[in-house]
Amino acid sequence: MALPALLIAALGELARRPAVLVATDFDGVLAPFVQDPMDARPLEGTIDDLAALAALPRTHAAVVSGRDIDVLTELTGLEDGSPVTRIGSHGAQSSHDDADDLGEEQQQLLERLTGDLHDVVEAHPGVRLEHKPAATVLHTRGQEEHVAEAAVRSALEVAQRHTGVKVLQGKNVVEMSVVTADKGTALKALQEKVGADAALYFGDDVTDEHAFEVMVEPDVSVKVGDGETAARFRVDSGEQVAEALRLLVRLRREATEG
C-alpha cells in the first residue's frame, strides 16, 4: 500500500529542516510481532536506512523501545559505537549516555515488587516476568484472554501497594518501574541533546502515545496500525514504515548533499 500523500509531503518538509531526529519504536514497527519476543527481527533494510540517515550531516537516528537496552542491542544488531542511538526501558536507558544506578531505596523497592509479582505468575500459569535493571515486566502474549486479564489485574493491584512504582501498559505487557521514564520525555531529551529542530517518530503501542503527545509541528508523528492516537499521520504496517525510511534517506541526502 502506498504511503499517504500528506505524509509524503510532511517527510519532504522534514528532510529540508536544518537538523532532524528520526526515531522509531521497535516491536510492531521495525519488527513484526512474533510469539517469542526474542525471535523478533527488524524488517529488511530498516536498520541500514536508520544508519544511513545517522551518517548524513545534521541528521540523527534512534530506536526507542520498552525492551531492556542490552536485548534491544542484540535484536537490532546496533553495537556500541553505532551512530544510531538505542533507548531502552521506555526511556530509562540510553546508549547516548550512561544511566544512573538505582539508589538503595529504589533497589529495595524493586526487589519487593518483583517478589510480589512472582506470586502473580504462580497464580496465573503461562504468564511470565522479564527483569530489567529498574523494572519488572509482566508478559501475557499467547495466553487466553481471561487468563491475561486476570494476571494484569493482579499485577496492577501489586503495583498499587508499592509507593513509587510507575506503571506502563502496552500490548500484552505491563511494565512496573521504580524510576520515572517514558518515551515522550526520552524523545524530547534526545532531541534537545542533539540539537534537532524537528523530529520524526513512528510508534504502534499505547506507550508511544507519550511521544506523540509531546510532538508539535514541524515534528512528524506517525501511528502504525489501528487505535486512537495523538499522532498526525497513520500507516497500516511496518512495511510502510520501511518504505517511509527509504524515501526519507533519499530526500534527506538530496537536501544535505545536493
Side-chain angles (χ1 to χ4, degrees):
M1 184 177 295
L3 292 174
L6 290 177
L7 175 57
I8 292 175
L11 293 175
E13 293 177 5
L14 181 83
R16 295 188 293 272
R17 302 293 302 184
V20 302
L21 168 63
V22 179
T24 172
D25 186 19
F26 182 71
D27 293 287
V29 179
L30 293 186
F33 285 114
V34 291
Q35 184 64 34
D36 184 345
M38 290 306 297
D39 288 338
R41 295 295 183 271
L43 293 166
E44 184 177 359
T46 53
I47 297 299
D48 289 341
D49 284 337
L50 288 173
L53 285 164
L56 293 174
R58 303 176 304 283
T59 311
H60 309 272
V63 180
V64 184
S65 176
R67 302 262 197 168
D68 176 78
I69 196 167
D70 290 337
V71 174
L72 185 62
T73 298
E74 176 184 349
L75 297 181
T76 60
L78 294 168
E79 302 293 342
D80 290 341
S82 168
V84 180
T85 300
R86 283 150 287 130
I87 295 176
S89 296
H90 302 284
Q93 301 171 299
S94 175
S95 64
H96 208 275
D97 52 23
D98 294 328
D100 294 332
D101 292 333
L102 293 181
E104 183 177 353
E105 290 187 3
Q106 288 176 311
Q107 187 62 52
Q108 292 175 351
L109 173 58
L110 181 60
E111 291 173 359
R112 293 195 301 271
L113 174 69
T114 302
D116 287 349
L117 289 172
H118 275 292
D119 294 338
V120 173
V121 171
E122 290 181 6
H124 302 86
V127 302
R128 60 193 182 280
L129 294 182
E130 175 189 359
H131 303 285
K132 296 183 180 181
T136 301
V137 189
L138 180 80
H139 290 275
T140 62
R141 184 175 301 281
Q143 303 308 306
E144 294 185 10
E145 185 175 355
H146 73 279
V147 174
E149 290 179 349
V152 168
R153 285 196 300 271
S154 295
L156 294 177
E157 290 171 0
V158 167
Q160 291 175 352
R161 296 202 301 265
H162 296 278
T163 302
V165 173
K166 179 179 177 63
V167 176
L168 287 172
Q169 286 187 254
K171 295 178 180 178
N172 305 299
V173 62
V174 181
E175 176 157 330
M176 287 146 283
S177 175
V178 297
V179 299
T180 300
D182 62 54
K183 293 179 180 179
T185 54
L187 180 69
K188 281 302 179 183
L190 180 60
Q191 183 176 349
E192 181 177 350
K193 190 162 192 172
V194 302
D197 62 327
L200 164 66
Y201 186 75
F202 293 99
D204 74 304
D205 206 343
V206 292
T207 59
D208 296 305
E209 293 300 319
H210 292 116
F212 297 150
E213 288 166 0
V214 299
M215 300 176 76
V216 294
E217 291 191 46
D219 295 335
V220 178
S221 51
V222 186
K223 166 78 171 182
V224 182
D226 298 328
E228 294 185 6
T229 185
R232 290 174 59 199
F233 303 98
R234 186 189 301 271
V235 296
D236 295 325
S237 66
E239 285 76 13
Q240 286 184 292
V241 174
E243 182 181 350
L245 289 175
R246 287 194 298 271
L247 173 61
L248 188 59
V249 170
R250 178 174 63 81
L251 293 174
R252 185 64 175 167
R253 186 172 285 140
E254 292 172 354
T256 58
E257 298 180 349

